[in-house]
Amino acid sequence: MELIVARPEGLYCPPGDFHIDPWRPVDRAVITHAHSDHARSGSRHYMAAQGGEAVLRGRLGDIDLQVMAYGEALTHNGVRISLHPAGHVLGSAQVRVEYEGEVWVASGDYKLGDDPTCVPFEPVPCEVFITESTFGLPIYRWEPGDVLAQQINTWWAANAAAGRASVLYCYAFGKAQRVLCGLDPGIGPIVVHGAVENVNRGYRAAGVDLPPVLRVDEAQADKGAMRRALVLAPPSARGTSWTRRFGDHADGFASGWMQVRGARRRRGVDRGFVLSDHADWPGLQTAIGACGASRVIVTHGQVPVLVRWLNEAGITAQAFETAYGDEEDEGASASGSAGDPPDGPTDGPSQVGGSSGEAAAEDVAEGSEKGAAQRADARPRAGPAAGSEEAQ
């Protein structure tokens, strides 16, 4: 029996009669995390990890929500369900499903890098692993968090010395809080957009230590301080009257897509910082290898590349067509959706994947000789199994 299948409403567990991150309203929804492409309103009952409760309620409103601690298990219709850390954002979880001795894990979105704002990714042994592939190309390899923090602080300090505010655009949930934890408040005041501060409250409620911040109306009283400020805002704030309050300012963008030169050019910002809450290419390999799965199903991102690479590396891999998107995209918002759900049911894996990584693929395609080399490197090859020392 297939323990998890793709249906028009979302990923569905037939023996347990519940959905995981459904994109249409259902009776019972198990939520991996509160990003808008995975947590949508309208379902009758929700289950999620305890750490993300405040953010999830803040986004979905008055919902019937059951929270569970990581590692806690319950049995529903004979299916044992437990949630395990995904390392993606606050409260993110992998969903472990066990039935008649078989174990599947739906990972949602995840990362393996260091992040002081959430519990680190925990490999969960399973027969079948359902994974994302947002940054599933060999060109995507992240720097350590302390290196990125130093880059941002150095940029901020240089701008402050020149009397220019530094406006850094990043997603309000997850990315902004990681940036905050690495900032040096000695450089100047830290100002945040209301969308960022709304999420900050959920992080503080969960015990995450964030530095003091100001809202823009509080910071405007001191014009000199405003010119030394580091401002965190969602991409949607760019070019608005809110941003124009900072006058002549430097701007930057923090996202995994900043790894690619074409993406940086299209953003048209002064500086790009490569910072992602998703696994990079080595991280995907490591996570898949660590869970020991003999079968992998890919849900969104660079689906064909990862599916082919895994099959050629000796791991059976297929794809689910889903409506999951990329919260790092500029068009994503706290209330937006990731796209339209697929047409018609698909009760088993298909060989067709999602398309949230198309922009990155276009960037690779446009890049001259370096892009050609990257495309060649991206072709799957027979070689070490995912997660092996050579593969990492």
Side-chain angles (χ1 to χ4, degrees):
M1 173 185 289
E2 298 286 276
L3 294 193
I4 299 174
V5 299
R7 288 192 171 176
E9 301 82 11
L11 303 186
Y12 176 67
C13 176
D17 190 24
F18 62 85
H19 289 77
I20 299 173
D21 292 348
W23 45 82
R24 292 177 180 170
V26 298
D27 283 340
R28 299 183 63 87
V30 180
I31 303 300
T32 63
H33 64 286
H35 276 141
S36 58
D37 57 332
H38 290 258
R40 307 198 189 199
S41 61
S43 293
R44 290 183 56 190
H45 177 78
Y46 292 85
M47 177 189 295
Q50 191 171 35
E53 179 178 5
V55 176
L56 188 60
R57 288 189 183 278
R59 294 187 149 212
L60 297 186
D62 184 17
I63 58 174
D64 178 8
L65 175 62
Q66 175 183 4
V67 296
M68 296 173 59
Y70 288 132
E72 179 184 356
L74 63 81
T75 300
H76 179 72
N77 289 350
V79 176
R80 183 179 173 88
I81 308 166
S82 57
L83 304 179
H84 304 265
H88 177 55
V89 293
L90 179 68
S92 60
Q94 304 171 80
V95 182
R96 182 185 185 274
V97 177
E98 181 178 356
Y99 183 67
E100 296 183 346
E102 186 170 357
V103 177
W104 288 40
V105 171
S107 63
D109 291 334
Y110 63 91
K111 71 172 182 295
L112 276 63
D114 51 328
D115 182 349
T117 70
C118 64
V119 181
F121 175 89
E122 174 187 295
V124 182
C126 58
E127 283 79 43
V128 181
F129 186 61
I130 301 177
T131 181
E132 62 149 310
S133 185
T134 303
F135 291 101
L137 289 175
I139 59 171
Y140 293 113
R141 299 169 188 266
W142 312 143
E143 296 277 7
D146 57 348
V147 173
L148 267 297
Q150 183 59 48
Q151 291 175 359
I152 293 172
N153 284 323
T154 299
W155 173 73
W156 176 20
N159 294 331
R164 300 178 75 201
S166 303
V167 179
L168 182 58
Y169 298 107
C170 55
Y171 194 67
F173 174 28
K175 194 73 56 53
Q177 291 71 38
R178 286 184 69 191
V179 171
L180 277 171
C181 283
L183 294 179
D184 177 6
I187 298 172
I190 302 170
V191 180
V192 298
H193 189 278
V196 174
E197 182 56 18
N198 288 342
V199 179
N200 287 349
R201 295 190 189 103
Y203 273 71
R204 294 191 183 101
V208 179
D209 185 21
L210 299 177
V213 299
L214 298 173
R215 297 284 290 267
V216 67
D217 53 348
E218 299 170 322
Q220 280 185 309
D222 187 341
K223 298 298 183 184
M226 282 275 281
R227 290 193 291 271
R228 294 182 289 106
L230 187 285
V231 183
L232 290 180
S236 57
R238 191 176 181 208
T240 65
S241 58
W242 188 91
T243 307
R244 288 194 288 271
R245 300 182 194 187
F246 301 99
D248 178 33
H249 61 268
D251 59 3
F253 197 91
S255 169
W257 301 122
M258 295 297 100
Q259 180 80 54
V260 181
R261 186 171 49 195
R264 294 195 296 270
R265 285 199 306 267
R266 284 200 294 273
R267 297 292 180 184
V269 292
D270 299 321
R271 181 69 183 271
F273 297 97
V274 183
L275 181 64
S276 178
D277 289 323
H278 295 264
D280 60 3
W281 178 250
L284 291 169
Q285 294 177 325
T286 300
I288 293 169
C291 73
S294 59
R295 179 181 170 198
V296 174
I297 301 172
V298 187
T299 58
H300 61 289
Q302 300 290 345
V303 175
V305 173
L306 186 59
V307 167
R308 288 180 58 197
W309 190 92
L310 288 168
N311 279 321
E312 295 195 11
I315 297 176
T316 301
Q318 298 162 292
F320 276 149
E321 185 173 355
T322 69
Y324 304 136
D326 172 35
E327 74 279 350
E328 298 201 15
D329 190 277
E330 186 171 359
S333 67
S335 60
S337 64
D340 295 326
D343 294 326
T346 52
D347 286 336
S350 71
Q351 295 297 334
V352 180
S355 60
S356 69
E358 288 178 356
E362 291 171 2
D363 289 334
V364 176
E366 76 175 25
S368 66
E369 296 179 353
K370 181 178 179 181
Q374 291 165 346
R375 291 194 298 278
D377 192 23
R379 288 195 294 269
R381 58 196 181 281
S388 70
E389 183 176 355
E390 182 181 351
Q392 296 175 27

